[in-house]
mmCIF file of all heavy atoms in Angstrom:
data_model
loop_
_atom_site.group_PDB
_atom_site.id
_atom_site.type_symbol
_atom_site.label_atom_id
_atom_site.label_comp_id
_atom_site.label_asym_id
_atom_site.label_seq_id
_atom_site.Cartn_x
_atom_site.Cartn_y
_atom_site.Cartn_z
ATOM 1 N N ASP J 193 8.143 -29.385 -4.789
ATOM 2 C CA ASP J 193 7.186 -28.152 -4.834
ATOM 3 C C ASP J 193 7.708 -27.002 -4.042
ATOM 4 O O ASP J 193 7.690 -25.880 -4.439
ATOM 5 C CB ASP J 193 5.830 -28.644 -4.319
ATOM 6 C CG ASP J 193 4.798 -27.513 -4.471
ATOM 7 O OD1 ASP J 193 4.543 -27.060 -5.549
ATOM 8 O OD2 ASP J 193 4.209 -27.040 -3.421
ATOM 9 N N TYR J 194 8.320 -27.340 -2.822
ATOM 10 C CA TYR J 194 8.919 -26.237 -2.005
ATOM 11 C C TYR J 194 9.992 -25.674 -2.758
ATOM 12 O O TYR J 194 10.138 -24.329 -2.793
ATOM 13 C CB TYR J 194 9.331 -26.882 -0.766
ATOM 14 C CG TYR J 194 10.448 -26.109 0.014
ATOM 15 C CD1 TYR J 194 10.226 -24.750 0.478
ATOM 16 C CD2 TYR J 194 11.697 -26.664 0.228
ATOM 17 C CE1 TYR J 194 11.209 -24.086 1.173
ATOM 18 C CE2 TYR J 194 12.660 -25.986 0.898
ATOM 19 C CZ TYR J 194 12.453 -24.686 1.360
ATOM 20 O OH TYR J 194 13.414 -24.036 2.012
ATOM 21 N N PHE J 195 11.002 -26.430 -3.421
ATOM 22 C CA PHE J 195 12.106 -25.719 -4.018
ATOM 23 C C PHE J 195 11.702 -24.990 -5.269
ATOM 24 O O PHE J 195 12.233 -23.958 -5.565
ATOM 25 C CB PHE J 195 12.981 -26.930 -4.569
ATOM 26 C CG PHE J 195 13.833 -27.582 -3.414
ATOM 27 C CD1 PHE J 195 14.040 -28.958 -3.385
ATOM 28 C CD2 PHE J 195 14.378 -26.806 -2.491
ATOM 29 C CE1 PHE J 195 14.807 -29.553 -2.437
ATOM 30 C CE2 PHE J 195 15.127 -27.394 -1.408
ATOM 31 C CZ PHE J 195 15.370 -28.773 -1.470
ATOM 32 N N GLU J 196 10.558 -25.371 -5.979
ATOM 33 C CA GLU J 196 10.084 -24.668 -7.141
ATOM 34 C C GLU J 196 9.593 -23.265 -6.633
ATOM 35 O O GLU J 196 9.918 -22.255 -7.200
ATOM 36 C CB GLU J 196 9.052 -25.443 -7.854
ATOM 37 C CG GLU J 196 9.519 -26.576 -8.607
ATOM 38 C CD GLU J 196 8.452 -27.446 -9.236
ATOM 39 O OE1 GLU J 196 7.263 -27.016 -9.080
ATOM 40 O OE2 GLU J 196 8.782 -28.412 -9.959
ATOM 41 N N HIS J 197 8.834 -23.220 -5.550
ATOM 42 C CA HIS J 197 8.338 -22.010 -5.063
ATOM 43 C C HIS J 197 9.453 -21.174 -4.472
ATOM 44 O O HIS J 197 9.450 -19.841 -4.687
ATOM 45 C CB HIS J 197 7.219 -22.197 -3.974
ATOM 46 C CG HIS J 197 5.911 -22.553 -4.484
ATOM 47 N ND1 HIS J 197 5.509 -23.816 -4.653
ATOM 48 C CD2 HIS J 197 4.915 -21.821 -4.971
ATOM 49 C CE1 HIS J 197 4.272 -23.900 -5.188
ATOM 50 N NE2 HIS J 197 3.881 -22.622 -5.371
ATOM 51 N N LEU J 198 10.466 -21.732 -3.867
ATOM 52 C CA LEU J 198 11.596 -20.986 -3.328
ATOM 53 C C LEU J 198 12.407 -20.356 -4.519
ATOM 54 O O LEU J 198 12.892 -19.275 -4.340
ATOM 55 C CB LEU J 198 12.469 -21.975 -2.526
ATOM 56 C CG LEU J 198 13.520 -21.320 -1.687
ATOM 57 C CD1 LEU J 198 12.983 -20.514 -0.584
ATOM 58 C CD2 LEU J 198 14.542 -22.453 -1.113
ATOM 59 N N GLU J 199 12.554 -21.116 -5.624
ATOM 60 C CA GLU J 199 13.214 -20.550 -6.741
ATOM 61 C C GLU J 199 12.505 -19.341 -7.300
ATOM 62 O O GLU J 199 13.066 -18.321 -7.666
ATOM 63 C CB GLU J 199 13.394 -21.636 -7.833
ATOM 64 C CG GLU J 199 14.283 -21.156 -8.940
ATOM 65 C CD GLU J 199 14.569 -22.356 -9.974
ATOM 66 O OE1 GLU J 199 13.722 -23.219 -10.140
ATOM 67 O OE2 GLU J 199 15.679 -22.321 -10.428
ATOM 68 N N GLN J 200 11.091 -19.441 -7.358
ATOM 69 C CA GLN J 200 10.414 -18.269 -7.813
ATOM 70 C C GLN J 200 10.581 -17.050 -6.932
ATOM 71 O O GLN J 200 10.688 -15.890 -7.424
ATOM 72 C CB GLN J 200 8.918 -18.622 -7.976
ATOM 73 C CG GLN J 200 8.509 -19.575 -8.974
ATOM 74 C CD GLN J 200 8.936 -19.071 -10.407
ATOM 75 O OE1 GLN J 200 8.677 -18.008 -10.772
ATOM 76 N NE2 GLN J 200 9.645 -19.896 -11.147
ATOM 77 N N LEU J 201 10.663 -17.300 -5.650
ATOM 78 C CA LEU J 201 10.900 -16.215 -4.720
ATOM 79 C C LEU J 201 12.370 -15.665 -4.866
ATOM 80 O O LEU J 201 12.520 -14.412 -4.866
ATOM 81 C CB LEU J 201 10.832 -16.675 -3.243
ATOM 82 C CG LEU J 201 11.118 -15.686 -2.107
ATOM 83 C CD1 LEU J 201 10.249 -14.446 -2.231
ATOM 84 C CD2 LEU J 201 11.107 -16.375 -0.819
ATOM 85 N N ALA J 202 13.335 -16.545 -5.226
ATOM 86 C CA ALA J 202 14.649 -16.061 -5.443
ATOM 87 C C ALA J 202 14.738 -15.223 -6.672
ATOM 88 O O ALA J 202 15.427 -14.216 -6.644
ATOM 89 C CB ALA J 202 15.594 -17.234 -5.545
ATOM 90 N N TYR J 203 14.059 -15.638 -7.722
ATOM 91 C CA TYR J 203 14.066 -14.733 -8.940
ATOM 92 C C TYR J 203 13.602 -13.352 -8.549
ATOM 93 O O TYR J 203 14.076 -12.369 -9.042
ATOM 94 C CB TYR J 203 13.147 -15.390 -10.006
ATOM 95 C CG TYR J 203 13.638 -16.574 -10.693
ATOM 96 C CD1 TYR J 203 12.701 -17.536 -11.113
ATOM 97 C CD2 TYR J 203 15.016 -16.799 -10.802
ATOM 98 C CE1 TYR J 203 13.197 -18.736 -11.786
ATOM 99 C CE2 TYR J 203 15.418 -17.932 -11.470
ATOM 100 C CZ TYR J 203 14.575 -18.893 -11.916
ATOM 101 O OH TYR J 203 14.963 -20.120 -12.576
ATOM 102 N N HIS J 204 12.508 -13.381 -7.782
ATOM 103 C CA HIS J 204 11.975 -12.037 -7.450
ATOM 104 C C HIS J 204 12.839 -11.193 -6.538
ATOM 105 O O HIS J 204 13.064 -10.002 -6.717
ATOM 106 C CB HIS J 204 10.592 -12.167 -6.759
ATOM 107 C CG HIS J 204 9.812 -10.942 -6.625
ATOM 108 N ND1 HIS J 204 9.179 -10.416 -7.749
ATOM 109 C CD2 HIS J 204 9.446 -10.163 -5.648
ATOM 110 C CE1 HIS J 204 8.613 -9.295 -7.408
ATOM 111 N NE2 HIS J 204 8.687 -9.105 -6.125
ATOM 112 N N ILE J 205 13.561 -11.866 -5.629
ATOM 113 C CA ILE J 205 14.648 -11.209 -4.823
ATOM 114 C C ILE J 205 15.660 -10.616 -5.666
ATOM 115 O O ILE J 205 16.106 -9.435 -5.473
ATOM 116 C CB ILE J 205 15.213 -12.167 -3.746
ATOM 117 C CG1 ILE J 205 14.145 -12.523 -2.709
ATOM 118 C CG2 ILE J 205 16.399 -11.665 -3.127
ATOM 119 C CD1 ILE J 205 14.518 -13.626 -1.731
ATOM 120 N N ASP J 206 16.128 -11.303 -6.732
ATOM 121 C CA ASP J 206 17.069 -10.761 -7.602
ATOM 122 C C ASP J 206 16.597 -9.484 -8.317
ATOM 123 O O ASP J 206 17.311 -8.480 -8.535
ATOM 124 C CB ASP J 206 17.444 -11.794 -8.664
ATOM 125 C CG ASP J 206 18.324 -12.901 -8.128
ATOM 126 O OD1 ASP J 206 18.909 -12.718 -7.083
ATOM 127 O OD2 ASP J 206 18.338 -13.981 -8.790
ATOM 128 N N ASP J 207 15.238 -9.497 -8.689
ATOM 129 C CA ASP J 207 14.724 -8.276 -9.230
ATOM 130 C C ASP J 207 14.762 -7.060 -8.220
ATOM 131 O O ASP J 207 15.069 -5.989 -8.618
ATOM 132 C CB ASP J 207 13.204 -8.492 -9.642
ATOM 133 C CG ASP J 207 13.164 -9.351 -10.906
ATOM 134 O OD1 ASP J 207 14.188 -9.515 -11.769
ATOM 135 O OD2 ASP J 207 12.099 -9.978 -11.202
ATOM 136 N N MET J 208 14.393 -7.271 -7.008
ATOM 137 C CA MET J 208 14.392 -6.326 -5.914
ATOM 138 C C MET J 208 15.798 -5.826 -5.711
ATOM 139 O O MET J 208 16.009 -4.597 -5.531
ATOM 140 C CB MET J 208 13.703 -6.807 -4.744
ATOM 141 C CG MET J 208 12.363 -7.213 -4.851
ATOM 142 S SD MET J 208 11.538 -7.982 -3.351
ATOM 143 C CE MET J 208 11.503 -6.497 -2.345
ATOM 144 N N THR J 209 16.809 -6.724 -5.756
ATOM 145 C CA THR J 209 18.117 -6.381 -5.484
ATOM 146 C C THR J 209 18.675 -5.455 -6.565
ATOM 147 O O THR J 209 19.352 -4.447 -6.345
ATOM 148 C CB THR J 209 19.011 -7.634 -5.345
ATOM 149 O OG1 THR J 209 18.570 -8.482 -4.266
ATOM 150 C CG2 THR J 209 20.533 -7.195 -5.073
ATOM 151 N N ARG J 210 18.332 -5.744 -7.774
ATOM 152 C CA ARG J 210 18.855 -4.979 -8.919
ATOM 153 C C ARG J 210 18.127 -3.573 -8.819
ATOM 154 O O ARG J 210 18.757 -2.539 -9.434
ATOM 155 C CB ARG J 210 18.433 -5.605 -10.305
ATOM 156 C CG ARG J 210 19.305 -6.774 -10.684
ATOM 157 C CD ARG J 210 19.161 -7.230 -12.105
ATOM 158 N NE ARG J 210 17.864 -7.915 -12.209
ATOM 159 C CZ ARG J 210 17.701 -9.295 -12.030
ATOM 160 N NH1 ARG J 210 18.779 -10.070 -11.714
ATOM 161 N NH2 ARG J 210 16.546 -9.895 -12.175
ATOM 162 N N ALA J 211 16.987 -3.448 -8.255
ATOM 163 C CA ALA J 211 16.275 -2.203 -8.181
ATOM 164 C C ALA J 211 16.883 -1.440 -6.902
ATOM 165 O O ALA J 211 16.397 -0.270 -6.607
ATOM 166 C CB ALA J 211 14.815 -2.374 -8.052
ATOM 167 N N GLY J 212 17.710 -1.983 -6.184
ATOM 168 C CA GLY J 212 18.327 -1.335 -4.962
ATOM 169 C C GLY J 212 17.467 -1.368 -3.739
ATOM 170 O O GLY J 212 17.605 -0.442 -2.912
ATOM 171 N N LEU J 213 16.537 -2.294 -3.631
ATOM 172 C CA LEU J 213 15.563 -2.353 -2.550
ATOM 173 C C LEU J 213 15.972 -3.350 -1.435
ATOM 174 O O LEU J 213 16.748 -4.267 -1.664
ATOM 175 C CB LEU J 213 14.234 -2.850 -3.090
ATOM 176 C CG LEU J 213 13.671 -2.037 -4.217
ATOM 177 C CD1 LEU J 213 12.321 -2.599 -4.712
ATOM 178 C CD2 LEU J 213 13.420 -0.491 -3.874
ATOM 179 N N THR J 214 15.677 -2.944 -0.302
ATOM 180 C CA THR J 214 15.995 -3.746 0.900
ATOM 181 C C THR J 214 15.054 -5.016 0.915
ATOM 182 O O THR J 214 13.825 -4.853 0.747
ATOM 183 C CB THR J 214 15.781 -3.045 2.187
ATOM 184 O OG1 THR J 214 16.618 -1.898 2.213
ATOM 185 C CG2 THR J 214 16.032 -3.824 3.373
ATOM 186 N N ILE J 215 15.614 -6.192 1.101
ATOM 187 C CA ILE J 215 14.897 -7.435 1.060
ATOM 188 C C ILE J 215 14.409 -7.682 2.532
ATOM 189 O O ILE J 215 15.250 -7.693 3.457
ATOM 190 C CB ILE J 215 15.702 -8.576 0.557
ATOM 191 C CG1 ILE J 215 16.368 -8.310 -0.756
ATOM 192 C CG2 ILE J 215 14.820 -9.813 0.486
ATOM 193 C CD1 ILE J 215 15.411 -7.857 -1.808
#
Side-chain angles (χ1 to χ4, degrees):
D193 184 60
Y194 158 62
F195 286 139
E196 288 175 0
H197 282 95
L198 192 65
E199 187 173 34
Q200 291 301 313
L201 178 61
Y203 288 150
H204 196 69
I205 288 171
D206 287 340
D207 286 342
M208 295 177 72
T209 302
R210 283 190 288 270
L213 304 179
T214 299
I215 311 301

